[in-house]
Amino acid sequence: MSASGMKQSRLAFWLFLAPVLGWLLLLIVLPHLDMLYMSLRSGSFSHPGWTLTNYQAFFEEPIYWLTFARTAGYAVITTAITLVLGLPVAFYIAKVVRPGLSGALMVLLLLPFWVSELVRVYGWMILLRESGVINFFLLRLGIIDTPIEMLYNDATMIMGLVYTSMLFMVVPLVSVMESLDDSLVEAAYDLGASRLCIWRTIIIPHSKPGITSGCIVVFMLSLGNYLTPNLMGGKNSLWFTEQIYNQFIASFNWNQGSAFGFLLLALSSVIVWAGLKLTRQKLGEVAS
Amino acid sequence: MEAMTNDLSLRSLTKRFGDFVAVDDISLDVPTGSFFSILGPSGCGKTTLLRMVAGFEEPTSGTISIRGRDMANVLPNERPVNLVFQHLALFPMMTVAENIAFGLRRRGVRKDESRTRAEAMLERVGLPGYGDKRIAQLSGGQRQRVAIARCLVLEPSVLLLDEPLGALDLKLREQMKVELKKLQAKVGTTFIYITHDQSEALVMSDRVAVMNRGRFEQVGTPQELYGQPATPFVARFVGDNNAWAGTVESAADGEVVLRTDEGFVFRARGMEGCGAGSRVNLYLRPEAMRLDPKDTSNLNMFRVTLKAILFDGANSRLLTVTEQGHELLVRLPQNRTFDNLEPGREFAVGWNPSSGICFVEDGADCRGLDGEDA
Amino acid sequence: MIRSLPNGRPYIWSFNLFVLLYFVFLFAPLVVTCVLAFNNSDFPSLPWHGFSLDWFLSPGPDRVGVFHDSQNLRAIVTSVETAVCVSALSVLVGTCASFLFEQEEFRFKGALYMLMLAPLVIPGVILGISQLLAANSVGAFLEDTVGWDVEWLRPSFWLVVIGQFSFIATFVTLVVSARLRKFDRSLEEAALNLGANRFEVIRYITLPFLRPAIVGAAAVSFLMSFENFNTTLFLVGSEPTLPINLYLQVRDGSTPVINSISFLLIVGTSILVLFNVYLGRKDGER
């Protein structure tokens, strides 16, 4: 907007700014500062004041930091599996299937993810549990004699996490691959490149922004997931969000819970930041 | 008193963007009811000038007045000027009639009233009954007319047009040139037309300002610009011109004798500063040269060889070359005497000293055949 | 390799098979859930005992169908109310944010933009607990200083709305900004030139242009709010939203009524998604 246009729009500017500032300051900045504050306060009524005991507890109690490390590690594994599965699917939709069909496939791809995560996890539960549909068929076909409990183990939990976050990998990958000019692949082919070589030198480098944003989002979602580990994983609260929940809701130790929350936030921020740094991208670019 | 007859007056108008001077101390009066063009290469500042008049840019210094009223601190939506945008900027979410009625509605004209006036305006621009169509349904020329109708319905003091024909194909552009000129004559509104296409400016305008590097090189009628360019830039930019570099041997009464760098000695009109011994450029129109003239008295004469025929109907030219390798465009006479030309043929060329103009060398490369985009 | 290049049959067929298996993986849990909603059985499992609508329509007392299950019905209503409030609020603020970030220039714009993106990288659980903490602190502060007991600052319907809004508004901002970026600013100048003021420009030119994006963003907000679990878990009060209510039921052992609710959710969501896709198509044709 030009200089004289600006003069007139001062009012408009403030009208736009006010709700946005209200949103970001009151609902994003303030709560997280409060969380930081809480995490540094003592929970006991006898000795109120500043303290680091909440963080100390995290490092001293192996169950806490082991869960933390386990959560981070499994989130990384989930991200890697999602990427490996997502790349060919995205490539198929963007470049292999007939253009008319790719739109329909995209809609099919999106559909399950708009259904509540709870419904999806529930679907897996009735498929996999001891009295579940898969056990029913395996028994019928005589492959097994006694039903197997397929729920409540780490592999199933990871599968559930992959399933839950798949979309957030495939969608950015499809959009970035659609922007790849076919003639680049044709040129490489024409110049004698093999399939592997085309993937390595053309497709993967071109898809980097999509891969980055997909990985960041999937990692984030897995790290912060509560439902899937809780319902599909083991019963003993070994996902870090469950620890946070326990502190808040079961033990009612908000200070300890805040410290855990802040640690999780720090971990996810550091990983996102590192991912962006490694690929030399900006959050703004990845988001759009 | 003077101001009353001018729709637009600029006084020492200047616009700087940082160190860059886009518009440099321009003064101008545009008389009421005229078709005025500003012609210049891209980046010469003409669009900035126009946007200042429309109010989208603020002048660094100088004044703009419209019908005698100073426009400083008048917001763009309150100025009595309307702008036809380069890419028209028709509102795709509205019908044709809604587009045209938009400005009237903003002025508080009632809905049915503005609809009637929009319909009447559509009729005037030759699109009766197009009111309910969507913008996407119109052809390029029709959109053009809607964009102009949308402005004219507000009866502005001045209508600004920012290269509106640029996006059209050649044929339609030729047609729209004539239509625009007729339309302007019919409605009588002052048009200020911006273009980098010299033919658009020459065909339509009553007066043209040639603009270069933020300044006006010359303001005059199309005939004046073509026949008596005031600066070498105008000579190169308006119409086709052949050019020679040379040195003045003697000068008297506005006529000079010069020796071109290839050794020809010519008599020609000398502009200011073309004293004996000065380095000059000689400009000569393709149509000023006559091929194999019968009467050679009082003509500058030299010989050329035909290199190629640039056939273009009535505007056909010959690409010729002198013995020294200097290329010249010569207009192909339309009297069929030269119907069966073959490259390689030699001609004698003669031209009247009054049709060649000398300017003091200005450092620009004038050896190119075409002055456009200098 | 790609469509235009010659591909061997084995390559194409193995690729087709892979993608087919992928889609089976994708839809298996949903299809099974839907099918078992119609099984004439007391448990959401095979064998198949015949087709029945009991888990939708039966009034009880043995089988209580979803249309007679007051607790779940109340949760659905709560979820719809929440989603409507959240999407209205998010669209309003998100559109303001788009105008702010795309059309205005001001100091600290970059910093504010990063702050706007922050909810993308904050896990939902963290967002939930931080909202809970802040609401509690503000509530305690108000009670201590002014003596007000602000009901909605405790876990409640409005706290859920606020919590969900805090990150859904970011998605709206991104969707609307993407469309606004494609907007031809000369249309605004043209409108100004024709005598419109800044608000008339927004009302008559920019908003109509943004409408498809705004409608799409509203639909997405609705869905995101409706299915949200992580953030809601910490903020929910005495009126659970549907995902929370279902979670409590699934955790304590399941009945096929969960299947029938899931079936309704899947159908409803599909309609909304297809509607959104249709809007997107229409938008693309423009």
Side-chain angles (χ1 to χ4, degrees), chain B residues 56-72:
Chain B
F56 295 126
E57 304 280 355
E58 227 161 346
T60 310
S61 63
T63 61
I64 300 169
S65 47
I66 294 167
R67 293 227 170 129
R69 185 174 153 223
D70 186 16
M71 286 293 121

Side-chain angles (χ1 to χ4, degrees), chain B residues 225-239:
Chain B
L225 296 179
Y226 194 84
Q228 286 111 41
T231 66
F233 177 82
V234 177
R236 282 194 300 270
F237 195 73
V238 179

Side-chain angles (χ1 to χ4, degrees), chain C residues 152-169:
Chain C
W152 56 267
L153 283 173
R154 293 201 211 102
S156 65
F157 176 81
W158 288 108
L159 203 56
V160 171
V161 169
I162 288 172
Q164 293 184 352
F165 155 77
S166 70
F167 71 95
I168 292 177

